Every structure is written in C-alpha cells, then in structure tokens.
Amino acid sequence: MSRDVALTARLKYILKRLRSFDVGRVWSFATQIAKEQDKWAPRIFVDMLVWAAFHDTAYIDYYEADFALLTKAERKTFMTSLVQHHVAQALNDRTDVLQFENKLTFNRRFSEYLGRDWIDLDEVDADGFRAFAEKNPVFIAKTPVGREGKGVFRYDAAEVTDWNAFRDELRDKGQRLIEQRIVQHPYLAEYCEGTVNTTRVATFFDGEKVHVLMAAQKFGRGAVSDQFTWGGFFTMIDESGKSFGPGHTGKHKSRYETHPDSGRSIVDFEVPMWDQVVDLVTRAAQEVPTVPYVGWDVAVTPDGPVLIEGNWTPGLYETRVSATGIRTGSRARHRPVIEASRK
C-alpha cells in the first residue's frame, strides 16, 4: 500500500468513492481500456478497484496513465490525483489559496509578473472600456473563477457598436476581467499561431529553496485556449526544457509526434527562454510562502516569459506509455513536496 497519503486522508477518499461508486462508469472505463489495449475487461475492472482502494489511483488516473500496460513497480513511479490533492490540501493554506482561485485577485497580487494590461469591468465605465479596447483591438475576457480554459473568450473591438450595452453584456455573463492579448514567441507561433501555447510548471517552495517538480508544454489548435476542453494536447518537458516524447491528450488514445495542424515536431520541441521561465516561477513561488505548492501557467513572449495564472492544485500531467513508450512517471521528482506533506 502506498504511504504517500496519510491514512485518514485515504480513508476519507475511500468512503467518498464508496458513496459515489458507479459500477457502470467504472465498467465503461474498463471496457474502453480493454478495447484500446487488447486486454480482458473483467480483469481490468478488478485491477482498477484494487488500485483505487489500496494505491491512491482514481479510475481516470488508471486510464490516462495507461496502468494496464505497466508493471506494479512502474505504476508506483507515477503521481496520482489523490496524492496530488492530499499534498495540496496538507501544505497550502486554505485562506491564502483564494489569491490564486480568483483571477482578479491573482492579477493584483502578481501584477509585476503579468507583462500585460488588464482592467476590471466593475471598476471602469463604458468609456474606460472603449479606451482600453482602442489600445488593444483584440482582447481577452475572462470569468474571475474558472478551470480548464472555461470562461475564457476572445473579442474584436471592431465588432462592437455599443460599448455601454457590450460592457453590461459581459458583466452579466460574469466576464469581468479584460486582458491585453498576449503575443507569443515566434517559435511557439510556428506550432499554433492562433492559440497562446503555454507551459505548465509545478513548483514547491520549502522555505529556502524552490523545487521544480514537473513541466509540461501545452499546444492549442487555434482556439482561445490550449486546454483539453478546446482540443489541446501536451508533451512532458525535462529539466533542460526539452520535450521527452510525443504529445498526447491524456483523455483518449492519441499520439502526436508532430503538431497535427502545422506539422512542427513535438519530439524535438524546446521551451524558448527556458532559463528565464525557471527564474520567473522561482521568484513567483516565493511570493506567497503559505501556498508553497503551485502549478504555474507561463506564456513566453518575444520579450520573455509572463505569468498567466497559478493553480494551487497544480493539475496532473504525466507521460503515457502508449503514446511515448516512456514507462516512468514523475513521482520521484515530487518527493520533496510529498515528504513535506507528511510533517
């Protein structure tokens, strides 16, 4: 049994899973895995239950990390949703995480790292909104609280005829945060020009040193966001900023050695200005010491990297053996934050 999650947290998790247990959903996962991996569904079904109960592995983790193709020892090298959630809950202050959950609050707290102008529609009138749009003809509107790229929209000022009515419409929709559109580094634009392709970097600040635990490069398909909900995919990034395998979505059987639209190589990808990216998140990670475990979304511009947002539950990004051939996960790199959560 894994010891990376406290016994009380594991028991709470098991009870929660039992209360919400849906045999049909688990069987659906098992049959899908069996079909994709040429396995026997009943055996997969039982294995999923065992790993959920005794090895901190949610059904979606089992599927996305291709556990059906891995040995027991290989599986234990992967992070899982429960381990990550437990670590975040154990280390991150429940009040101070609000500085990350609300994008308006985040922008105010981390203003020096944003590299772009923004306004709160509750703090400007229609004339102020129009003045902002005149300087930023294409701009981004966001709901202050949202996940997975939901609540992010792109607008063109040329299409607006009544700024009073448009401001009221966006406020009614909850789209209070208006931001200057980011112009990404030319190298990233070669992959997908229509989407800002961001880098997710998870860090842990132990009070003295910032540990980079994981990095993944996300690629869009032309939509306003590079998240999976908008058709995006990702590849894992090593300590030097280079891809170490083909990209994949994690949500279904997929493999991208090249970007499906531009044809640019995913396996040869390198994050531009990687040293500056690491420096940026290292500085940002020390801003709120009471929230030491964060997943940062970074956009690299021609002038350097900027912060998009910080996620106090960093999000689970792992390699997938069916796409990459890599059979080792990132749990070893997460060891500093896991050890800290036990104290």
Side-chain angles (χ1 to χ4, degrees):
M1 181 181 288
S2 168
R3 296 183 179 179
D4 288 341
V5 175
L7 180 60
T8 54
R10 177 177 293 108
L11 290 175
K12 288 180 181 178
Y13 169 78
I14 292 174
L15 289 174
K16 181 180 178 181
R17 300 300 303 204
L18 287 173
R19 286 194 297 267
S20 62
F21 181 67
D22 183 345
V23 65
R25 184 169 182 266
V26 182
W27 179 251
S28 177
F29 270 124
T31 56
Q32 184 173 353
I33 293 169
K35 181 179 179 180
E36 292 182 359
Q37 311 299 350
D38 193 25
K39 302 287 185 179
W40 189 43
R43 184 172 183 177
I44 296 294
F45 179 81
V46 173
D47 197 37
M48 290 176 71
L49 296 179
V50 170
W51 278 77
F54 300 107
H55 300 286
D56 312 327
T57 305
Y59 310 130
I60 190 65
D61 296 339
Y62 187 103
Y63 172 57
E64 292 182 358
D66 280 336
F67 271 25
L69 299 177
L70 301 175
T71 67
K72 183 177 180 180
E74 290 168 342
R75 294 176 182 185
K76 289 185 175 181
T77 69
F78 283 74
M79 285 291 286
T80 68
S81 298
L82 176 58
V83 174
Q84 183 181 82
H85 181 73
H86 170 69
V87 169
Q89 290 278 345
L91 295 176
N92 292 335
D93 183 88
R94 297 296 294 153
T95 298
D96 292 344
V97 297
L98 299 177
Q99 298 179 57
F100 295 82
E101 287 185 352
N102 187 296
K103 293 179 175 61
L104 286 165
T105 306
F106 180 86
N107 278 17
R108 293 186 180 100
R109 181 64 181 80
F110 291 90
S111 58
E112 67 178 283
Y113 300 91
L114 301 181
R116 61 191 180 279
D117 293 332
W118 63 277
I119 57 174
D120 179 350
L121 284 185
D122 280 2
E123 298 178 353
V124 299
D125 58 16
D127 289 336
F129 185 17
R130 179 170 56 190
F132 180 91
E134 286 175 352
K135 293 191 297 182
N136 305 284
V138 177
F139 54 89
I140 305 299
K142 299 178 179 178
T143 56
V145 179
R147 299 185 63 186
E148 298 180 345
K150 299 173 183 176
V152 180
F153 306 88
R154 184 165 49 203
Y155 293 103
D156 188 335
E159 299 175 356
V160 181
T161 56
D162 185 332
W163 286 95
N164 278 294
F166 185 52
R167 173 178 175 272
D168 290 342
E169 177 188 346
L170 293 189
R171 292 177 71 228
D172 288 344
K173 293 178 178 178
Q175 299 172 29
R176 285 176 50 191
L177 175 57
I178 308 298
E179 294 187 340
Q180 175 185 1
R181 181 173 65 96
I182 292 173
V183 177
Q184 65 185 332
H185 192 283
Y187 176 74
L188 292 167
E190 291 177 3
Y191 281 82
C192 180
E193 185 175 11
T195 305
V196 177
N197 305 286
T198 61
T199 309
R200 173 66 61 91
V201 185
T203 61
F204 168 57
F205 178 45
D206 65 11
E208 298 181 358
K209 177 182 177 181
V210 174
H211 305 263
V212 174
L213 308 173
M214 178 282 302
Q217 178 64 38
K218 294 181 281 187
F219 297 95
R221 301 292 303 277
V224 67
S225 172
D226 57 12
Q227 295 284 0
F228 309 129
T229 49
W230 294 90
F233 63 96
F234 71 96
T235 186
M236 301 302 293
I237 299 298
D238 67 15
E239 294 90 339
S240 61
K242 298 179 180 178
S243 166
F244 60 89
H248 55 93
T249 66
K251 302 298 181 183
H252 58 80
K253 193 171 184 178
S254 58
R255 175 185 171 90
Y256 300 105
E257 291 198 11
T258 60
H259 193 287
D261 302 317
S262 65
R264 294 283 292 166
S265 174
I266 300 300
V267 295
D268 295 324
F269 175 84
E270 298 183 31
V271 179
M273 304 184 183
W274 173 246
D275 289 343
Q276 293 183 44
V277 170
V278 173
D279 178 69
L280 177 76
V281 298
T282 298
R283 289 185 289 114
Q286 299 175 68
E287 290 285 344
V288 187
T290 52
V291 185
Y293 181 40
V294 180
W296 308 95
D297 279 335
V298 178
V300 182
T301 77
D303 299 320
V306 299
L307 283 186
I308 303 296
E309 63 183 19
N311 304 272
W312 71 270
T313 300
L316 190 61
Y317 290 80
E318 282 284 13
T319 188
R320 197 173 190 187
V321 64
S322 62
T324 67
I326 299 168
R327 309 181 71 90
T328 303
S330 67
R331 192 176 292 206
R333 291 177 64 181
H334 282 79
R335 188 54 52 188
V337 69
I338 292 173
E339 293 291 343
S341 71
R342 293 173 173 173
K343 298 178 181 178

